[in-house]
Amino acid sequence: EKKKKKKEKQEQTQEIPNQSAITKDNVVVNIDGILFMKIDNAERASYNVENPIHSLLNVAQTTMRSEIGKLTLDRLFAERAELNVNIRAAIAIDAESWGIQCKRYEIRDIQVSDTVRKSMDLQAEADRKRRKNVLESEGDRDAMTNRAAGEQKAKELLAEAERVVTVKQAEGEASKMKLISEAQADAIRIVATTIKNNANSEEAMKLEVAKKYIESFGNIAKETNTVVLPSNLQDPSAMITSAMSVYAAVNKGTPISPSPLPFTADAGEKEPEAPGAATQAWTPEMPFPPPPLQ
């Protein structure tokens, strides 16, 4: 008798028979479980209920069906641990009054019909395909975004490089023009100083003007077929005399009026004059500056 009482106070394992239950989405499932329990008050277990173990198993079965009806099939598989806790908490209230302590409750197996299993397999397959398509589309989107960002960055770098090249070229041209203008200014100052300090500078100037005159007319009509010709084209000495007269007038501070061109030549033909226009060419024999046009 003592051994029997001692054994009854040890923790016991009671199997919950397989039973059918209906989920919240009207799917029939077969489910069984295991209840871990211990009789901690023999007096209550003897006098408060006729068969405490059988009564507790019935309460566990009805509670399990009730809790399964609150969940959909998908949640039933996903929230098995929470379901175990809820069932144990529900049957522990009645078990305490019967002198029984519920340690824990575990769902052992959940079975569905073949039709439901096939539907679940198809649903799982469709879900896997959907996730695959989503991942592929996200990958394509990220790839296109990265390519667009790369192309934009490349264009920005190319534009920046072109801007730097343009700025450098402009700075180089500016430096070049500055150096050329400074060199020309230095050359003009040297020439002016030489002319001022040399008594024979006028002859040298005549020689240089004649040289430039011949070189310039040697390049006539090389770049364009429209050129401007003076009236005394065949008389270089007159041209030199005219240039020296201009130089002398500049040195004296006399204002110089521009002389009208006698004609322009286009492929050797004379340009027609406008009606009523007066044309007068200035020559070295005429007084300087030339008289105004009438």
Side-chain angles (χ1 to χ4, degrees):
E1 184 68 23
K2 290 183 178 180
K3 285 184 177 182
K4 184 177 180 181
K5 291 183 178 180
K6 183 177 181 182
K7 184 176 181 181
E8 289 178 351
K9 290 185 178 181
Q10 293 177 348
E11 184 173 334
Q12 303 177 32
T13 302
Q14 299 292 332
E15 294 186 2
I16 308 298
N18 192 342
Q19 61 178 336
S20 297
I22 300 177
T23 62
K24 187 177 181 179
D25 50 353
N26 297 324
V27 178
V28 178
V29 296
N30 295 321
I31 188 168
D32 58 3
I34 300 176
L35 176 64
F36 298 88
M37 51 166 288
K38 177 182 178 182
I39 298 177
D40 58 354
N41 192 322
E43 183 179 356
R44 292 181 180 178
S46 299
Y47 295 104
N48 290 358
V49 64
E50 182 178 356
N51 191 340
I53 303 299
H54 180 72
S55 300
L56 186 62
L57 293 180
N58 289 331
V59 171
Q61 287 180 326
T62 56
T63 304
M64 183 171 60
R65 284 195 297 266
S66 176
E67 292 295 328
I68 290 176
K70 298 177 182 179
L71 301 174
T72 61
L73 183 62
D74 293 336
R75 291 187 60 193
L76 178 61
F77 288 99
E79 301 179 6
R80 178 180 293 191
E82 183 179 355
L83 181 61
N84 293 332
V85 173
N86 293 338
I87 294 175
R88 192 207 70 81
I91 64 178
I93 299 175
D94 294 331
E96 183 179 2
S97 62
W98 298 336
I100 301 174
Q101 181 182 3
C102 292
K103 295 293 186 179
R104 62 187 182 277
Y105 180 89
E106 296 291 340
I107 295 176
R108 185 165 57 182
D109 191 15
I110 301 176
Q111 297 177 353
V112 295
S113 63
D114 294 339
T115 304
V116 175
R117 185 175 297 277
K118 290 179 181 179
S119 299
M120 293 174 61
D121 293 339
L122 292 175
Q123 181 180 359
E125 181 67 21
D127 189 62
R128 285 192 294 269
K129 289 182 178 179
R130 182 187 62 82
R131 289 197 299 267
K132 176 184 176 183
N133 294 332
V134 169
L135 292 176
E136 289 179 352
S137 62
E138 290 179 351
D140 293 340
R141 180 196 62 189
D142 294 341
M144 293 177 64
T145 301
N146 292 335
R147 282 195 296 268
E151 292 176 357
Q152 181 181 1
K153 187 64 176 180
K155 290 180 180 179
E156 291 177 356
L157 293 176
L158 181 60
E160 179 67 18
E162 292 178 353
R163 186 189 66 81
V164 172
V165 170
T166 303
V167 171
K168 293 298 182 181
Q169 289 178 349
E171 292 177 351
E173 292 293 333
S175 300
K176 177 182 176 181
M177 295 176 63
K178 182 178 179 181
L179 293 175
I180 292 175
S181 61
E182 290 178 353
Q184 291 177 348
D186 293 339
I188 292 172
R189 282 194 294 269
I190 294 173
V191 171
T193 303
T194 303
I195 292 174
K196 183 178 179 180
N197 298 331
N198 194 340
N200 298 325
S201 60
E202 185 173 354
E203 297 297 330
M205 288 178 59
K206 291 180 179 180
L207 177 61
E208 185 66 23
V209 170
K211 179 180 177 182
K212 296 294 184 182
Y213 178 82
I214 295 172
E215 289 179 356
S216 298
F217 280 98
N219 296 324
I220 290 178
K222 283 187 177 181
E223 297 182 356
T224 178
N225 57 1
T226 302
V227 295
V228 180
L229 302 176
S231 60
N232 52 355
L233 178 61
Q234 298 178 354
D235 190 3
S237 61
M239 183 64 185
I240 296 173
T241 304
S242 177
M244 297 306 298
S245 300
V246 174
Y247 172 72
V250 172
N251 286 339
K252 293 179 182 179
T254 305
I256 303 175
S257 300
S259 59
L261 298 175
F263 64 90
T264 59
D266 189 354
E269 295 182 2
K270 183 176 180 180
E271 182 181 8
E273 298 179 356
T279 305
Q280 183 178 3
W282 178 82
T283 60
E285 290 79 11
M286 297 175 63
F288 189 84
L293 297 177
Q294 298 299 328

